[in-house]
Amino acid sequence: MFLTDARKEFYEVVVNQRVLLLVASDVDALCACKILQALFQCDHVQYTLVPVSGWQELETAFLEHKDQFQYFVLINCGANVDLLEVLQPEEDMLFFVCDTHRPINVVNVYNETQIKLLVKQDDDLEIPAYDDIFRDDEEEDSGNESDGSEPSEKRRRFEEEIVERTMKRRERREWEARRQEILFDYEQYEYHGTSSAMMMFDLAWIMSKDLNDMLWWAIIGLTEQWIQDKITQMKYVTDIGTLQRHVSRHNHRDGDEENSLSIDCMRIAFEYDLCLALYQHWSLFESLCNTCYTSASFKLWSVQGQKRLQEFLADMGLPLKQVKQKFHSMDISLKENLKEMIEESANKFGMKDLRVQTFSVHFGFKNKFLASDVVYAAASLMENMEKDESGTDNFIKALDSLSRSNLDKLHQGLELAKKQLCAIQQTVASCICTNLVISQGPFLYCYLMEGSPDVKLFSKPISLCLLTKCLLKSFICSTKNKRCKLLPMVMAAPMDVEQGTVIMLGIPPHTESSDKKNFFGRAFEKAAENTNSRTLHNHFDMSIIELKMEDRSKFLDALISLLS
């Protein structure tokens, strides 16, 4: 059931209770969790936080804690399956679900008692009507007629009844067929709705408890959706506009010099900035080389591409010595007009989208971060493979890196993010140079071999997703085949060598007008069913599955014939 008043129907219900927070492992969920934690701290609400990376962990966490809690808040998980069937909870338990995954399961939508959905209603939901999906069977037994009537009368009534039942059965079959069709159309594509962090910020704003920190977390949540390509450009720009109004409200200074110059103050500003990854914490050269958009446009995996990059730098008139040193050490005179210089040269080289609407934050005088910097840092901390730490430890570190009191953790995340971006570019270059991307007919396919560098990093969903999207963009720039430019992509990488499993991910085609809707979730399910492949649909994104190595070829064959 959709909540119309989040304050009354959600917050005031849980404010005097003990609450279990089940939070998915993505940056938007982290930010929504941070905002809710801040609200709970204001009102001294007791809560327990459990990070969950997939359905198995969600079920385990629920089973472990169900005896102590009656109220459960699920962030970025739980909306796209029949939650009551998965968890089998007691009847007095309440689930508040704030999830960006679409489509929302119809049983969750029409459950009036236990499932409460914190979802923006003006998102394009297209929920099927109740009567098209559910019906009460009124197959009454009609053997209780009075025996006093004539035998001929009885026979006539009996015949009428048989006709009526036959009609009812036929009608039922037609309704069933129509229901299947409606559900198929509704559930066919997977996509994402409004950021959960923005939903939580809205709640804080309605209650007049919104702080600048909360606003910054909402901005990071939205930026993650843009970086991960989960929402359309139109949706991003609209949501940026909404947040910009809040930024103006929270960060206007009215000539109050005292306030604007305090050492620990926090200022958020709207920026029309370069979409070069981490360039303010790196050198401009490394950022150009490791940002997907620029490396694909220049085709940096080829000698010709490296030449084009040198020509681009020469066109800007920037000395190589300046470009290759840390950004904060560059000459101030160069930095002042840098964005305009880069944009002008980028236009000559056919890169029209090098600047993007975003926000930056200043903590005191020294630290400035763009929203995208924090997204990369938090995601890298969450999937850190360098130390053998548990997923929960990494989740807590990523959560801590969002607080301005933990800037050392954020800097640690930025260093990890640089390594991750370099690994992605090296892997893309080797996949293209060794022709690992194959056109399988209805989609492009690439398999990362066991033993290739950084392959361990790509067993994690966020890293694999960034790699796949970057590889698809780069392949489109490198191929001459026009048909290939319009195809979606399936990527597979080794997951667990001992257990012999691979992780497989499907993404929609990369086109300007793409609505970001992904049909691979349903296709994977069907292909697994048709071939009896041993698959595990454990991720909250249906388009990511785990598969036994030996079943890979028959699964792919089934997928090709399904989508052809």
Side-chain angles (χ1 to χ4, degrees), residues 11 34 45 61 70 114 116 205 250 266 301 336 385 387 439 444 507:
Y11 198 76
K34 269 309 246 190
V45 179
Q70 194 185 340
Q114 287 182 272
K116 313 288 183 188
W205 178 53
H250 272 280
M266 172 185 189
W301 51 86
E336 275 173 357
M385 303 286 284
K387 302 185 186 112
S439 171
L444 300 166
I507 60 166

Side-chain angles (χ1 to χ4, degrees), residues 100 102 120 123 192-196 198-199 225 235 239:
T100 64
R102 306 285 181 271
K120 211 176 182 68
D123 279 351
H192 287 267
T194 300
S195 145
S196 292
M198 282 185 70
M199 294 299 297
Q225 288 194 314
K235 170 82 175 143
D239 286 351

Side-chain angles (χ1 to χ4, degrees), residues 108-121:
N108 292 344
V109 173
Y110 290 115
N111 181 297
E112 298 283 324
T113 48
Q114 287 182 272
I115 309 279
K116 313 288 183 188
L117 297 165
L118 288 147
V119 169
K120 211 176 182 68
Q121 290 274 30

